[in-house]
Amino acid sequence: MAVSDMICKLRQGANLSQEKFAELFGVSRQSVQKWENGDSLPELEKLIKISKYFNVSIDSIVTDSDSRENHEINFNKKIKPNYENVDSGNSYAENLMTEYCQSIEEGLDIERYEEIFKAVSGLPKGEAKEKFGDILFDIVLNSKFKENYKYVEPSELDKIKLLRKNNAAELGAVDKVKLKDKIYGAWMGRICGCLLGKTVEGIRTDELVPFLKETDNYPMHRYILHSDLNDEILKKYKYDFENKCYADTVDGMPVDDDTNYVVLSQEIIEKYGKDFTPNDVSRAWITMQGKNAYFTAEQVAFCNFIQGFEPPKSAIYKNPYREWIGAQIRGDYFGYINPGNPEFAAEMAFRDASISHIKNGIYGEMFASAMIAAAACTDDIKEIILSGLAQIPHTSRLHEAISDVLNGFENGVSQEDCFADIHRRYDEYSAHGWCHTISNAMIVAASLLYGNSDYGKSICMAVETGFDTDCNGATVGSVLGMAMGTAGIPEKWTKPINDTLHTSIFGVGTVKISERVEMTMKHID
C-alpha cells in the first residue's frame, strides 16, 4: 500500500475531512490533497506527528509493515484453542456421560444433575461446552456419597490394607529350580494371549462370534489367521479385519500397550529399584514414551503430568476413565519380581496404579499382580484368585464381582451362564462397560476357572467373550504361564513370537524375550 493510500485510509478511518486533517497537522488542505494523490510526500516531521496521532509506526505508513503494531495486536487478544481440533478422547466435556456413569457407580449423589450432563454432552464442540464441562467437574469433585451406598472403596494404601480379608490358603515356598522357567512362561503366556486378542481388539461379539464360526474357529481354539480372510468376509463385517496383525504374518510380537507396560515397568525397576515412587513412574512415562502410546486414563494422566498435576491428583483431574482397565494391564511385572509375595506385588502395583486410577481401577492392578505372584507357588486356580482378592478391600465392587464368579463356579453355574451374566451386568456396546476394570476382571477370573488350567482353552475363552480382548487374553496368559511354566504353553502359541518383542519405548525398541527374562531374574535376586 502506497503512502498516499495509507494517509487516506487513516484519515477516512477517523472520519476526518481533508480540511480537518490539515488543521490537525498544521498544513493546507491542498497539501493533504497532494499527499493522497501521490503528488508529494509529507516531511519527516509531519510523518512523526501523523504516526503518534494514530498510534501507528512510521513503517506502517511508509511500507505497510508494522511489527510493533502486530505484536500489540497479539498481546491484546485472548488466545483460545481451536476446539474443533481438540481430540475428543482428551476432552473432559466430550466424555461427560462416561463421567456421569462413573460417578453414579462410585456412589456420588449427582443424579439430580443427569439432565444437565445430557444437555451439555449434546452441545457442539466449543468454548461454551468446555466451560460447562469445567462446572460439572467441580460438581463431581465436591459431591458427597449417597447415604445408602454400601461399598467402601478407599484409594489410599493404608486404608486399603485395613479393609483386606484373606481367605486364601498359605502359599508354599517358591521352587527356585523351576522359577526361571515359570518367569519365562509368564512372559510368553502374556505375549501369546495378547497377540490372540490383538487381532480382534475393539470388535463386539455380534460380529466376533459369527466371524469365528464362519472361519471354523468357534469355540475359539487357535490364532485368527490372515489366511482366514477373503473378499466376502472383508465386505460382510463392519470391523476392519484387513488392517490388523495376524499370527501368520508377524515377525514377533507387534507393538502393543499391554506388552509395552511389562518392559516399561522393568525399566522403571532397573532405574529406580523396588522402592520406586508414583512420581518416579510419572517421570518415566513422560521421558520413555510419547502421548499416543497411552490411552484413556493413562493419556489423561500423561497430559496432567505435563500440566503439573502430580500423583495422585493426576489420576483425578478431569479423568472420567479413572476406573477403566488401564492399570489392570500394567501390574504383571510386579508379580514377576515378587514370586510368592502377593502382598508386596500388590503394594508395588498400587504405587503404579495410583498415578492414573482410583478405587477399583487401582484394585484391578493389585488383584492381577497378586495373582501372578501367588501363581509362582501354586497352580490351584481358586487359591490364585483368592490370593488376588486378599489384597483388595472386601468392601469393594471388584471384590464382590470376582467373588460372585468364584462362588458361581463352585456352585455349578455353567460357563455359558457365567459369561452371559457378565454381559448382563456390563454393556459391551458402551465404551464404559467395554473398558471398565470390573467387567474385564470378571472375564479374567471366569476364564481361569472354566479353562481348567488349559492354557489355550483359557486364553481363547477370554478373547471370544469380547470386551477388551487383548488385555484379558494377556492377563489370563500371564497367570497361567507363571503357574505352569513354559511346558504348559503349546508350541502353536509360541512359535509366531520367535523370541521377539517389539516395543515403542524410547531407547528400547525391539527386545529378545529371553534377555528380558534374564533381567527379571536379576530383579528378583
Side-chain angles (χ1 to χ4, degrees):
M1 186 180 293
V3 175
S4 58
D5 295 330
M6 193 64 187
I7 291 175
C8 184
K9 180 181 177 181
L10 290 170
R11 178 181 65 77
Q12 291 177 349
N15 199 25
L16 297 171
S17 66
Q18 287 186 341
E19 288 83 355
K20 186 64 177 176
F21 190 90
E23 182 182 333
L24 284 171
F25 300 108
V27 296
S28 65
R29 184 190 65 78
Q30 289 78 10
S31 294
V32 175
Q33 188 176 42
K34 288 181 179 181
W35 293 346
E36 293 186 356
N37 289 337
D39 295 332
S40 66
L41 292 174
E43 298 174 355
L44 180 59
E45 178 189 358
K46 302 302 182 185
L47 281 173
I48 292 172
K49 287 184 177 181
I50 293 170
S51 70
K52 287 183 176 180
Y53 182 85
F54 288 102
N55 193 30
V56 296
S57 70
I58 294 176
D59 282 348
S60 70
I61 299 174
V62 177
T63 66
D64 192 27
S65 175
D66 184 8
S67 59
R68 182 192 68 171
E69 182 181 31
N70 288 338
H71 283 308
E72 287 175 351
I73 289 172
N74 286 337
F75 283 113
N76 288 333
K77 285 184 177 179
K78 185 176 181 181
I79 300 175
K80 300 178 182 179
N82 182 346
Y83 292 101
E84 291 297 321
N85 292 334
V86 174
D87 178 25
S88 294
N90 286 327
S91 168
Y92 181 77
E94 292 296 316
N95 292 279
L96 286 174
M97 294 316 298
T98 294
E99 175 62 85
Y100 181 78
C101 291
Q102 170 64 44
S103 298
I104 290 295
E105 289 174 3
E106 286 180 56
L108 297 181
D109 188 14
I110 64 164
E111 288 183 347
R112 60 187 178 278
Y113 299 107
E114 181 178 7
E115 294 306 317
I116 299 176
F117 272 87
K118 289 179 179 178
V120 177
S121 182
L123 292 175
K125 278 187 173 183
E127 184 177 10
K129 187 172 186 177
E130 294 296 325
K131 287 183 176 179
F132 280 125
D134 290 345
I135 293 171
L136 290 172
F137 173 71
D138 285 336
I139 288 173
V140 168
L141 194 62
N142 293 286
S143 292
K144 296 181 179 180
F145 290 99
K146 297 178 183 177
E147 290 185 7
N148 60 347
Y149 190 66
K150 70 175 184 176
Y151 303 103
V152 181
E153 300 174 327
S155 299
E156 300 81 20
L157 184 60
D158 57 342
K159 294 179 181 178
I160 290 172
K161 287 182 175 181
L162 291 174
L163 293 172
R164 295 178 302 182
K165 182 182 290 185
N166 191 353
N167 293 321
E170 185 175 344
L171 294 171
V174 176
D175 187 336
K176 293 185 178 181
V177 175
K178 296 181 179 179
L179 183 57
K180 184 177 178 180
D181 182 72
K182 284 177 169 286
I183 295 296
Y184 209 138
W187 275 90
M188 289 303 301
R190 178 167 186 77
I191 290 167
C192 297
C194 185
L195 178 59
L196 177 68
K198 185 174 178 65
T199 305
V200 287
E201 181 182 11
I203 199 172
R204 278 16 180 202
T205 51
D206 62 343
E207 289 202 316
L208 175 59
V209 172
F211 170 77
L212 293 175
K213 289 180 176 178
E214 187 170 4
T215 54
D216 297 322
N217 194 10
Y218 190 83
M220 203 173 193
H221 55 275
R222 59 171 174 82
Y223 283 121
I224 298 170
L225 306 175
H226 190 268
S227 58
D228 289 327
L229 305 180
N230 56 48
D231 290 340
E232 183 181 352
I233 285 176
L234 293 176
K235 292 177 183 177
K236 182 183 297 185
Y237 296 99
K238 292 182 293 184
Y239 184 75
D240 183 14
F241 283 105
E242 193 166 18
N243 297 305
K244 302 298 176 183
C245 63
Y246 293 89
D248 55 343
T249 62
V250 298
D251 63 347
M253 178 62 201
V255 172
D256 188 272
D257 58 323
D258 294 73
T259 48
N260 270 355
Y261 283 126
V262 186
V263 178
L264 187 60
S265 295
Q266 188 173 57
E267 293 295 319
I268 289 169
I269 297 295
E270 182 73 8
K271 182 173 182 179
Y272 298 107
K274 290 186 177 181
D275 293 328
F276 70 89
T277 67
N279 197 58
D280 292 334
V281 180
S282 71
R283 296 304 95 189
W285 278 25
I286 290 173
T287 57
M288 298 186 73
Q289 290 193 128
K291 186 191 77 164
N292 290 334
Y294 304 98
F295 302 94
T296 62
E298 283 71 24
Q299 194 170 89
V300 171
F302 181 95
C303 293
N304 284 343
F305 303 151
I306 301 298
Q307 295 180 66
F309 293 96
E310 295 185 346
K313 293 178 182 178
S314 53
I316 300 168
Y317 184 71
K318 292 186 178 180
N319 184 2
Y321 317 115
R322 55 192 178 270
E323 283 196 323
W324 283 21
I325 195 177
Q328 186 164 281
I329 70 175
R330 304 199 320 248
D332 292 54
Y333 195 69
F334 308 127
Y336 296 173
I337 62 175
N338 290 290
N341 191 349
E343 182 175 11
F344 195 51
E347 182 179 325
M348 293 174 73
F350 169 86
R351 283 183 254 147
D352 179 80
S354 62
I355 73 173
S356 57
H357 287 72
I358 68 169
K359 299 177 185 287
N360 295 277
I362 293 175
Y363 310 155
E365 181 167 351
M366 297 177 75
F367 172 66
S369 299
M371 281 200 298
I372 293 167
C377 300
T378 179
D379 59 5
D380 186 313
I381 297 300
K382 177 184 174 182
E383 292 306 321
I384 290 172
I385 293 173
L386 287 174
S387 294
L389 287 177
Q391 300 306 321
I392 67 174
H394 74 277
T395 55
S396 65
R397 285 168 282 146
L398 178 60
H399 194 288
E400 179 184 73
I402 301 300
S403 297
D404 286 347
V405 172
L406 185 55
N407 293 335
F409 175 78
E410 292 185 321
N411 290 321
V413 172
S414 68
Q415 172 189 328
E416 182 180 11
D417 286 344
C418 174
F419 285 106
D421 181 59
I422 296 171
H423 277 272
R424 279 193 295 270
R425 292 190 188 204
Y426 285 90
D427 180 10
E428 67 168 311
Y429 298 96
S430 77
H432 185 64
W434 182 86
C435 209
H436 201 276
T437 291
I438 299 176
S439 55
N440 290 286
M442 292 176 76
I443 291 171
V444 167
S447 299
L448 288 169
L449 290 166
Y450 289 93
N452 196 29
S453 297
D454 181 313
Y455 176 83
K457 182 179 179 181
S458 300
I459 61 170
C460 285
M461 201 177 295
V463 171
E464 72 184 16
T465 305
F467 289 84
D468 204 335
T469 53
D470 63 328
C471 295
N472 297 334
T475 302
V476 169
S478 197
V479 172
L480 289 177
M482 179 67 91
M484 299 183 296
T486 57
I489 309 174
E491 186 184 8
K492 72 173 184 178
W493 299 110
T494 60
K495 188 174 181 179
I497 305 303
N498 194 31
D499 196 32
T500 301
L501 173 61
H502 299 290
T503 82
S504 60
I505 301 170
F506 303 150
V508 175
T510 298
V511 299
K512 291 294 182 183
I513 299 165
S514 54
E515 293 176 358
R516 290 286 152 166
V517 170
E518 294 292 344
M519 192 172 176
T520 307
M521 297 303 295
K522 183 184 74 171
H523 289 164
I524 293 173
D525 296 335

